[in-house]
Amino acid sequence: MKFKELADYFEKIEKTTSRLEITRVLASLFKKLAADEIDKTVYLLQGRVVPLYEKVNFGMAEKMVIRSIVQGLSLENRLFVRRYKKMGDLGKALEAFKQEIRSFEETDLTILKVYDELFRLATAGGDGSQETKINILSNLIRRLDSLSCRYLVRIPQGLLRLGFSDMTVLDAYSWMISGDKSLRWQIEKAYHVRPDLGFIGHLLKKEGVKSLAHIVPRLFTPILMMRAERLSTAEDIIKQIGRCIIEPKYDGFRLQIHYSHKTKEIRIYSRNLEDVSFMYPDIVAGVRREVKAEEIILEGEAIGYEETTNTFLPFQETVQRKRKYDIQETAKKIPLKLFPFELLYVNGKSFIDTRLEERSKELLKHIKNHGDTHRDVLLASPTEITSDPKKVDRLFEDAIAKGLEGIIAKRLDGVYQAGARGWNWIKFKKSYSSKIEDTIDCLIMGYDAGKGKRTNFGIGAFLVGVYDQKNDRYLTTSKIGTGLTDEEWKELYKRAQKYKQAEKPTVYDVDKMMKVDAWVDPHIVVEIKADEITRSSIHTAGRVLKASKSGTAFEVATPGFALRFPRLVRFRDDKRPEETTTLNELRSLFRQQKGG
Ligand code: ATP
């Protein structure tokens, strides 16, 4: 397919806000593509050239993109910048110029050609790479038509923002094959094990939907991590899963480790599938020393350790290990220990469908160390098997007394449910003084500039929301103006600047009356503690509207969910936006509220 035709699809998608319509447009596009086109097209639709978990940055600041444009069109910089400032949109300004100055070099480039060039651009490194990048982009600008140019320049700028997430692409794959979303579940299951939309699209085209059943974990492709349900009494846990394994719940970082003993290559992934190996040299060395397997994928929780007192550190201290600089120094100050608790793959064999009891036994076989907390990096977690709620309560109290967060109860015959929150794991955390049993992970959707004391911070309140999985939308649940330290306000402002937008992202459903000074693209996830979930008509999370009697407007039939006394617990850089608390979870937390 020609890139020009793809640009028409970009435009169609940009113009619609209805998720169903976007899904249909995507499905009709996918139908027309060949197997070797669909993967690359899907990456481009997401403004990338590789899957989500691979790190390739275009490395082009706005200035470089402008240089490519003026070079491509042989324009005076001043002339272009003046128009850009007036229009406020780089892509549209370029499109307008292109319409006026038609280049003789315009040719019908294919998607594959444009993809290859953008890939070359993204991977150009070393001396002179800036010039190479500018040359590639300016060449493409010369050779593509005006509408294609509008979208092309948004890709290296990270501004494509077509208003849908991976979930909508999965739906569209189902529509492509069956004309409805009946295959979505099957496709999503495969995606959780191989979270590469391009790979899945290619496979569907080439080998059909049946091939998905054979997808297994692959070394150095991160697997979406399994998540826990929550309950608040030992009785409920035993009622739900019967005899189970109880493990302490450590409050550190969840890490997924991929290791090849053959090559000594190791990659450590965080919850949001980011390769964070460079941050943890002590874990890297520990795995190389203490794990015995040709190839292995395992998961565990890393937590800070205080050698002199032989104790584990609270999260606030462990979190200092999440840094990009002074890594060796901080590693010495706050060494980490890893409690491995999952085995997903070993020596060519997948373990995700094996029952937990066996997975755990197999995992232990591959850890060979001294059994000594001081010398080892990988530590065996004390586990107990029980069906007695009293024992569960005792283990819970023990964990709390040791300063841990609580316990996790795991079904003995549970498989590893990649990417899913299921009843195979149940967390039982310390109850707080509030009515809600757990914290809520929210997406930052927008913010207000600060007034009074906060004028200096640039931010005085921020709008947060939760994820509506069914509709692939974010719905508001609170505007938070208190509960942050001065440092946190400053930090929040700094982060928000990176993703700030004048226009509301199409994936946000926000009440007309809810105003913010700036919108923030879906990137920043924060953990929020609130006293209670209440009802509010201004928030869209869980709100139901009905036509008014006159039929000319809508009125609130059921108000939305709002948070009472919300405060920031921490930034959740390890979570993707789609991993924020879902609307369904918020609804069940509302129902479970003490006295609610
Ligand atoms: P969620 O996965 O529910 O979104 P979260 O990151 O907000 O979780 P929690 O809800 O507190 O965290 O609990 C689940 C997390 O607990 C896991 O992702 C893991 O990082 C951590 N954890 C600590 N100890 C264990 C353990 N023994 N087994 C499994 N997970 C553990």
Side-chain angles (χ1 to χ4, degrees):
M1 184 187 278
K2 306 287 184 204
F3 191 81
K4 200 176 169 162
E5 204 178 330
L6 179 61
D8 288 334
Y9 279 100
F10 280 154
E11 192 179 32
K12 262 191 232 164
I13 295 170
E14 196 182 16
K15 278 189 182 152
T16 166
T17 52
S18 143
R19 184 190 186 207
L20 189 62
E21 195 45 38
I22 294 178
T23 313
R24 288 213 179 106
V25 174
L26 285 172
S28 76
L29 163 66
F30 294 162
K31 265 191 194 159
K32 289 190 194 164
L33 296 167
D36 67 340
E37 288 176 324
I38 194 166
D39 44 0
K40 288 152 190 138
T41 307
V42 167
Y43 298 143
L44 292 178
L45 281 162
Q46 292 176 306
R48 319 175 50 88
V49 286
V50 286
L52 188 73
Y53 52 84
E54 272 180 38
K55 249 196 214 137
V56 176
N57 285 326
F58 288 98
M60 284 192 98
E62 187 180 271
K63 266 199 177 136
M64 272 172 80
V65 177
I66 294 178
R67 270 183 64 198
S68 316
I69 294 174
V70 295
Q71 180 177 315
L73 301 185
S74 308
L75 266 181
E76 240 184 87
N77 196 67
R78 227 170 10 106
L79 206 63
F80 179 77
V81 171
R82 201 186 312 140
R83 190 152 194 184
Y84 163 41
K85 293 284 173 232
K86 212 165 135 202
M87 294 180 77
D89 181 322
L90 203 64
K92 284 195 174 156
L94 167 61
E95 184 183 9
F97 270 110
K98 270 296 279 195
Q99 278 164 353
E100 288 161 19
I101 343 171
R102 273 251 153 73
S103 143
F104 293 116
E105 289 174 55
E106 265 182 34
T107 44
D108 256 357
L109 294 183
T110 59
I111 295 177
L112 292 186
K113 177 70 185 162
V114 175
Y115 171 86
D116 285 346
E117 288 301 296
L118 285 174
F119 187 84
R120 209 156 64 78
L121 185 159
T123 48
D127 283 350
S129 63
Q130 282 213 359
E131 284 315 305
T132 312
K133 286 175 193 280
I134 289 172
N135 287 339
I136 296 172
L137 193 59
S138 62
N139 259 320
L140 285 172
I141 288 168
R142 248 197 307 276
R143 296 169 68 190
L144 285 170
D145 63 289
S146 53
L147 186 66
S148 297
C149 280
R150 185 207 293 179
Y151 296 106
L152 172 79
V153 290
R154 287 181 184 170
I155 294 175
Q157 277 192 293
L159 290 178
L160 199 55
R161 305 172 71 227
L162 290 176
F164 61 86
S165 75
D166 286 17
M167 299 306 127
T168 301
V169 175
L170 297 178
D171 267 352
Y173 281 160
S174 173
W175 278 79
M176 163 181 86
I177 300 168
S178 60
D180 57 29
K181 58 178 200 177
S182 57
L183 298 173
R184 156 70 189 265
W185 182 81
Q186 227 175 312
I187 299 172
E188 186 173 342
K189 200 162 170 251
Y191 167 82
H192 286 162
V193 181
R194 290 287 290 274
D196 176 349
L197 284 179
F199 168 82
I200 302 275
H202 180 86
L203 196 71
L204 285 172
K205 277 270 170 190
K206 212 168 149 214
E207 295 179 30
V209 76
K210 284 206 182 99
S211 61
L212 296 180
H214 309 301
I215 286 188
V216 285
R218 195 173 77 136
L219 201 64
F220 305 127
T221 298
I223 299 154
L224 283 177
M225 297 188 199
M226 172 169 167
R227 305 162 74 185
E229 273 292 352
R230 46 174 88 77
L231 282 176
S232 47
T233 68
E235 282 80 20
D236 286 348
I237 291 175
I238 298 299
K239 225 185 275 161
Q240 181 73 32
I241 56 173
R243 220 164 96 83
C244 54
I245 300 185
I246 306 288
E247 289 177 16
K249 185 172 186 308
Y250 303 100
D251 198 9
F253 318 126
R254 171 108 170 245
L255 300 177
Q256 189 178 90
I257 298 171
H258 293 228
Y259 173 56
S260 161
H261 180 67
K262 271 187 276 182
T263 60
K264 290 280 172 197
E265 196 182 342
I266 179 165
R267 270 184 231 157
I268 302 183
Y269 296 98
S270 66
R271 282 275 314 261
N272 61 0
L273 312 186
E274 222 180 296
D275 181 348
V276 289
S277 322
F278 70 98
M279 283 188 197
Y280 306 117
D282 42 354
I283 304 264
V284 166
V287 169
R288 285 199 176 126
R289 215 171 33 234
E290 298 167 29
V291 175
K292 302 288 178 256
E294 284 298 295
E295 289 185 336
I296 194 162
I297 305 178
L298 57 90
E299 268 179 22
E301 189 84 355
I303 182 165
Y305 176 66
E306 168 60 60
E307 288 188 62
T308 46
T309 53
N310 191 21
T311 49
F312 295 98
L313 301 175
F315 182 79
Q316 288 71 6
E317 289 179 51
T318 301
V319 77
Q320 293 176 40
R321 283 297 306 273
K322 252 191 204 170
R323 50 166 60 221
K324 295 194 171 137
Y325 310 100
D326 305 326
I327 287 168
Q328 295 290 353
E329 220 171 278
T330 325
K332 260 191 222 134
K333 253 196 276 167
I334 309 169
L336 293 177
K337 298 287 178 186
L338 181 83
F339 287 98
F341 52 70
E342 268 300 345
L343 175 74
L344 309 185
Y345 163 97
V346 73
N347 301 341
K349 184 169 183 282
S350 166
F351 274 82
I352 55 173
D353 291 324
T354 306
R355 27 185 290 140
L356 175 65
E357 238 181 333
E358 278 169 53
R359 282 204 308 279
S360 306
K361 272 189 204 143
E362 182 72 24
L363 174 62
L364 286 179
K365 284 190 205 157
H366 298 281
I367 297 170
K368 297 264 164 28
N369 51 19
H370 303 92
D372 172 337
T373 318
H374 273 284
R375 285 157 84 190
D376 301 337
V377 169
L378 278 76
L379 304 181
S381 170
T383 58
E384 301 243 11
I385 298 181
T386 183
S387 55
D388 176 5
K390 282 202 194 86
K391 181 131 187 226
V392 175
D393 263 332
R394 193 178 54 67
L395 292 167
F396 174 76
E397 293 305 332
D398 283 355
I400 300 299
K402 284 189 194 130
L404 299 171
E405 261 197 314
I407 51 171
I408 299 219
K410 300 180 176 178
R411 253 181 95 112
L412 285 166
D413 59 355
V415 296
Y416 186 90
Q417 298 165 296
R421 192 186 291 289
W423 291 103
N424 285 355
W425 284 7
I426 302 172
K427 54 191 177 193
F428 176 13
K429 294 213 261 191
K430 203 170 16 182
S431 282
Y432 306 87
S433 52
S434 69
K435 286 191 172 185
I436 320 172
E437 294 290 348
D438 208 344
T439 51
I440 295 161
D441 295 318
C442 295
L443 183 76
I444 300 221
M445 300 168 72
Y447 70 88
D448 288 339
K451 290 196 191 90
K453 179 186 163 202
R454 306 230 187 96
T455 319
N456 289 341
F457 302 158
I459 184 166
F462 57 104
L463 182 65
V464 298
V466 293
Y467 184 50
D468 175 3
Q469 246 172 339
K470 195 164 143 239
N471 297 304
D472 198 9
R473 287 282 178 273
Y474 294 91
L475 311 174
T476 71
T477 187
S478 213
K479 199 182 227 184
I480 305 180
T482 54
L484 274 76
T485 63
D486 288 2
E487 285 316 308
E488 285 167 341
W489 281 116
K490 285 184 206 156
E491 177 63 27
L492 182 52
Y493 179 73
K494 203 170 98 198
R495 286 168 187 247
Q497 294 319 289
K498 235 171 122 186
Y499 305 110
K500 180 175 140 180
Q501 296 296 341
E503 273 176 44
K504 181 172 76 64
T506 40
V507 285
Y508 292 177
D509 276 351
V510 181
D511 188 277
K512 278 198 300 292
M513 305 292 285
M514 177 61 75
K515 305 276 184 250
V516 288
D517 292 329
W519 294 103
V520 177
D521 263 351
H523 286 282
I524 311 170
V525 179
V526 284
E527 187 172 338
I528 300 292
K529 177 94 209 95
D531 275 8
E532 192 180 354
I533 301 170
T534 54
R535 290 286 197 175
S536 151
S537 344
I538 190 138
H539 287 297
T540 50
R543 188 175 76 173
V544 181
L545 297 177
K546 63 170 188 210
S548 65
K549 282 199 186 96
S550 64
T552 53
F554 285 102
E555 58 191 40
V556 175
T558 313
F561 297 116
L563 307 180
R564 195 170 135 85
F565 297 137
R567 56 245 179 228
L568 178 80
V569 179
R570 57 175 92 147
F571 288 96
R572 291 299 306 249
D573 297 328
D574 59 336
K575 287 202 167 185
R576 294 173 301 126
E578 300 96 77
E579 283 184 308
T580 48
T581 299
T582 61
L583 175 60
N584 281 343
E585 287 174 56
L586 191 65
R587 191 172 281 131
S588 82
L589 281 169
F590 177 74
R591 287 198 204 108
Q592 281 172 21
Q593 284 187 138
K594 286 182 215 151

